[in-house]
């Protein structure tokens, strides 16, 4: 009896495994059939190079959709490639997520790009994807095709994709990049949501104030001049401000534009940027939030680059390139030099006060335990939650501040207008 049960058990196990394989194959075949229908309707005459690959070769295509020859960076082409596309970061993140999903389902890279071209609504992004597809079909690797569009795919994305192609882990690294873009987009959305209402109130208040000063105050100023009464100082301030905005608005506009261009010119040359960035980080509440935002960005980026397998020096180079704040940029430049000289990462971070204290502690823990990418991921999660909490708190504080400021401005205008009438009434009564 025992000998008869063994074949039955083996048969049952084999049946389960066969059923699982059949389900997986059915899912992949349905995806390929659906995309074949879409591509047939979108491209009546398809070249043999873009045709569907055999079923047994699909897993290999998903694992390493790259070509044999060694690629090199190419300069962006002239003409259309140099045009600044109207594509936001959210669309780039969605694109990377969809590429990861299609490749993990066994779809060849060229077919995945064609599918995304058919599904993309943004005309400018569709043009970019079409150019990338043309390069891939000509034999270039994916990362080389992406590097020709630096306005959309920065050096971090290109290097991570390159590492994924060369190591056969393109699906994994595109998932990392998609997660990074999602985290970045969520943080930006939360910050925008926190300041939208206060900014709206401020814009409306300023607009109403300008209309009152330009359209209403001149009429009162004419009455006061005809009555020949002594104006109190609040009324004088309001009348003079109205006269400047009414008669010299063009001069103010010109000087404002010239001042803005002068500031941008100095900022472009790097003369004022260090001082401005240092001042931003020193502003109460706002500076703390900015520091946490920069921490989330570099921790997420370092984690992705290390998971993708980039060397530490190259990782620090890419992190340094993407730092928009001068203080963080210089800190990572020094960290990179110290690591190159043989110092540990925790020692290099410890000498910089621009980072929050927890960063130095967790970097030390991650380096000692050999789990730096995971620790950096946790660090990014911690500070992202802190950024969300602080932006919400800042929004709750800004709302009453803006409303109170608007009320004080309205009170000042009302007092400035009616004080001369009180003086006129006293003169008449006396």
């Amino acid at each position: 009896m025992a000998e008869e049960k063994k074949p039955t058990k083996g048969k049952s196990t084999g049946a389960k495994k066969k059923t699982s394989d059949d389900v997986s194959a059915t899912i992949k075949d349905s995806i390929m059939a659906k995309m074949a229908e879409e591509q047939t309707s979108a491209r009546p005459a398809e070249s043999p190079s873009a045709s569907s690959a055999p079923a047994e070769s699909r897993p290999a295509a998903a694992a390493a959709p790259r070509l044999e020859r060694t690629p090199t960076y190419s300069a962006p082409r002239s003409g259309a490639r140099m045009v600044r596309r109207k594509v936001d970061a959210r669309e780039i993140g969605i694109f990377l997520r969809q590429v990861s999903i299609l490749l993990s389902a066994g779809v060849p890279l060229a077919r995945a790009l064609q599918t995304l071209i058919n599904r993309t609504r943004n005309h400018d992004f569709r043009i970019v994807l079409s150019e990338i597809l043309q390069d891939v079909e000509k034999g270039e690797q994916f990362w080389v095709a992406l590097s020709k569009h630096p306005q959309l795919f920065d050096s971090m994305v290109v290097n991570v994709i390159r590492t994924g192609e060369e190591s056969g882990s393109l699906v994994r690294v595109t998932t990392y990049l998609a997660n990074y873009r999602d985290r970045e987009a969520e943080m930006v959305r939360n910050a925008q949501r926190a300041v939208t209402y206060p900014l709206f109130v401020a814009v409306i208040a300023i607009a109403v104030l300008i209309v009152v000063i330009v359209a209403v105050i001149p009429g009162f100023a004419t009455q006061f001049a005809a009555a020949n009464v002594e104006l109190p100082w609040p009324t004088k301030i309001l009348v003079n401000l109205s006269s400047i905005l009414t008669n010299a608005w063009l001069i103010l506009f010109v000087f404002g534009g010239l001042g803005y261009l002068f500031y941008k010119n100095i900022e472009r040359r790097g003369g004022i940027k260090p001082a401005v960035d240092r001042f931003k980080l020193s502003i109460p509440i706002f500076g703390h939030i900015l520091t946490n935002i920069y921490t989330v960005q570099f921790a997420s980026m370092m984690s992705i680059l290390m998971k993708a397998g980039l060397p530490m020096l190259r990782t620090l180079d890419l992190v340094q390139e993407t730092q928009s704040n001068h203080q963080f940029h210089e800190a990572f430049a020094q960290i990179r030099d110290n690591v190159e000289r043989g110092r540990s990462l925790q020692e290099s971070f410890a000498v910089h006060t621009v980072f929050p204290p927890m960063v130095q502690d967790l970097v030390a823990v991650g380096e000692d335990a050999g789990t730096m990418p995971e620790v950096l991921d946790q660090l990014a999660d911690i500070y992202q939650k802190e950024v969300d909490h602080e932006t919400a708190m800042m929004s709750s504080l800004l709302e009453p501040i803006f409303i109170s400021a608007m009320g004080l401005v309205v009170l000042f205008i009302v007092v400035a207008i009616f004080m001369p009438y009180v003086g006129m009434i006293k003169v008449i009564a006396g």
Side-chain angles (χ1 to χ4, degrees), residues 193-425:
R193 191 182 303 116
V195 300
T196 297
Y197 178 73
L199 286 180
F200 175 77
V201 172
V203 169
I204 294 299
I206 293 173
V208 172
L209 178 62
I210 292 175
V211 170
V212 170
I213 292 176
V214 173
V216 178
I217 299 302
F220 287 99
T222 303
Q223 294 180 10
F224 298 152
N228 195 20
V229 295
E230 180 68 22
L231 298 179
W233 66 266
T235 309
K236 288 182 179 179
I237 293 176
L238 199 60
V239 170
N240 292 332
L241 182 60
S242 175
S243 176
I244 293 173
L245 292 179
T246 304
N247 301 322
W249 64 270
L250 182 59
I251 297 176
L252 293 175
F253 179 79
V254 171
F255 273 98
L258 292 176
Y260 176 78
L261 294 176
F262 179 73
Y263 170 79
K264 283 296 182 182
N265 185 37
I266 296 178
E267 186 181 31
R268 191 181 302 111
R269 295 180 180 180
I272 198 174
K273 182 174 174 57
V276 172
D277 288 344
R278 192 182 305 110
F279 173 73
K280 288 179 181 178
L281 296 182
S282 64
I283 300 175
I285 301 178
F286 180 74
H288 185 67
I289 294 175
L290 271 183
T291 301
N292 291 340
I293 290 175
Y294 295 140
T295 302
V296 173
Q297 291 175 344
F298 88 74
S300 301
M301 185 176 299
M302 282 190 67
S303 174
I304 291 172
L305 295 173
M306 295 178 71
K307 286 179 180 178
L310 269 72
M312 178 57 69
L313 292 179
R314 184 55 182 154
T315 296
L316 293 174
D317 283 335
L318 292 173
V319 173
Q320 179 193 354
E321 291 175 8
T322 57
Q323 296 304 306
S324 58
N325 185 276
H326 183 267
Q327 302 296 105
F328 278 80
H329 185 275
E330 289 300 312
F332 275 103
Q334 296 176 16
I335 290 172
R336 197 263 185 205
D337 293 340
N338 290 335
V339 172
E340 189 176 20
R341 294 191 187 101
R343 299 185 66 180
S344 65
L345 200 61
Q346 54 183 298
E347 291 176 345
S348 303
F349 269 90
V351 298
H352 295 284
T353 59
V354 68
F355 302 110
M358 187 182 295
V359 173
Q360 301 166 1
D361 297 336
L362 291 182
V363 166
V365 171
E367 191 171 28
D368 293 339
T371 57
M372 184 65 72
E374 292 76 12
V375 169
L376 289 172
D377 252 343
Q378 296 177 4
L379 183 68
D381 289 336
I382 291 172
Y383 279 98
Q384 183 174 2
K385 292 177 181 178
E386 189 170 344
V387 167
D388 295 341
H389 173 72
E390 289 176 343
T391 51
M393 182 181 66
M394 184 179 67
S395 176
S396 62
L397 291 175
L398 287 178
E399 290 178 16
I401 291 175
F402 277 121
I403 293 175
S404 300
M406 186 171 59
L408 292 175
V409 170
V410 172
L411 178 63
F412 176 81
I413 293 175
V414 171
V415 170
I417 290 175
F418 282 97
M419 282 183 70
Y421 286 106
V422 174
M424 292 170 60
I425 293 173

Side-chain angles (χ1 to χ4, degrees), residues 132-207:
I132 294 173
L133 175 60
Q134 291 174 8
D135 291 335
V136 171
E137 289 178 339
K138 288 177 183 177
E140 292 186 346
Q141 286 189 305
F142 188 32
W143 70 269
V144 179
L146 294 179
S147 68
K148 297 178 181 179
H149 303 274
Q151 70 275 28
L152 297 182
F153 303 100
D154 55 21
S155 58
M156 172 201 165
V157 174
V158 172
N159 280 276
V160 171
I161 293 293
R162 177 182 184 178
T163 304
E165 282 193 285
E166 292 175 350
S167 62
S169 57
L170 187 58
V171 176
R172 183 166 55 89
V173 298
T174 50
T175 303
Y176 293 155
L177 288 173
N179 293 337
Y180 170 76
R181 295 295 184 185
D182 289 345
R183 171 181 283 167
E184 197 173 44
E186 181 181 0
M187 187 168 55
V188 172
R189 276 197 309 270
N190 292 336
Q192 290 176 344
R193 191 182 303 116
V195 300
T196 297
Y197 178 73
L199 286 180
F200 175 77
V201 172
V203 169
I204 294 299
I206 293 173

Side-chain angles (χ1 to χ4, degrees), residues 75-132:
R77 299 175 186 173
S78 59
R81 296 239 179 175
M82 297 301 294
V83 177
R84 186 175 182 85
R85 307 296 187 187
K86 297 179 181 178
V87 183
D88 56 20
R90 177 176 170 273
E91 290 179 287
I92 302 297
I94 293 175
F95 164 72
L96 293 171
R97 177 75 65 189
Q98 291 174 337
V99 168
S100 173
I101 293 173
L102 291 174
L103 293 180
S104 64
V107 181
L109 180 59
R111 178 66 64 83
L113 291 174
Q114 182 59 60
T115 301
L116 296 180
I117 292 172
N118 297 336
R119 294 176 179 270
T120 300
R121 297 181 180 180
N122 189 319
H123 175 70
D124 293 326
F125 197 31
R126 191 182 299 119
I127 294 175
V128 173
L129 294 182
S130 300
E131 294 172 352
I132 294 173

